[in-house]
Amino acid sequence: MNLLLVVFPCLVAAVAAAPQFTRPNLPDRPFIAIVRDDRQDLGNGAFNYVFEAANGIRESRVGNPGSKGQSNMQGAYRFPLDDGTFAEVRYVADESGFRAESPLIPTPHPLPAHAVEQIRVAEEQRRRGIQF
């Protein structure tokens, strides 16, 4: 009987603490269906992956083993913006690092002509061995 008095409250506490698998009521965050989730692992470090949601979010990635033990990957992802358009980013990650391309990524302003000329002169002077 004493064992039952200890075990039963523990079971009740475990059931009460278990995660709830019902979706909370979030009126401002609608449920988004997953329309595609394809994954392939070739077992040697190579893989490919495509994920797409009903609201237009999409990611695709292809990976292969790199020469220095890393995973070389290339892919793209996109997501909807508030104005109804989509932001898209294409990327490559390999021995040279991570490089992303997108019209939404800010780029530096071009250098003025006089600065470009100064850099050219400095490089020429370095080639000729001139030091200051």
Side-chain angles (χ1 to χ4, degrees):
M1 184 68 173
N2 287 340
L3 183 62
L4 184 61
L5 291 174
V6 172
V7 172
F8 184 71
C10 290
L11 288 174
V12 170
V15 169
Q20 302 298 313
F21 294 103
T22 58
R23 187 170 187 281
N25 185 13
L26 301 172
D28 59 329
R29 299 175 95 185
F31 179 76
I32 308 294
I34 305 302
V35 296
R36 184 174 180 193
D37 189 359
D38 298 331
R39 302 164 192 245
Q40 185 178 20
D41 181 358
L42 302 179
N44 62 354
F47 66 91
N48 60 49
Y49 167 77
V50 177
F51 168 86
E52 190 169 357
N55 65 350
I57 293 174
R58 179 173 172 36
E59 182 188 0
S60 61
R61 186 182 323 165
V62 175
N64 293 296
S67 64
K68 298 180 181 177
Q70 81 285 355
S71 289
N72 289 345
M73 293 182 250
Q74 62 183 17
Y77 58 90
R78 75 179 206 163
F79 52 92
L81 298 173
D82 291 338
D83 64 1
T85 62
F86 286 89
E88 185 164 346
V89 177
R90 296 190 172 284
Y91 63 89
V92 173
D94 58 15
E95 292 89 351
S96 301
F98 180 82
R99 297 172 310 282
E101 297 177 1
S102 173
L104 298 174
I105 296 175
T107 57
H109 294 286
L111 291 174
H114 72 277
V116 173
E117 177 62 17
Q118 288 175 336
I119 292 169
R120 187 195 65 73
V121 168
E123 288 172 350
E124 177 63 30
Q125 289 174 340
R126 270 192 225 106
R127 274 195 294 277
R128 295 186 352 209
I130 299 173
Q131 295 181 0
F132 293 97

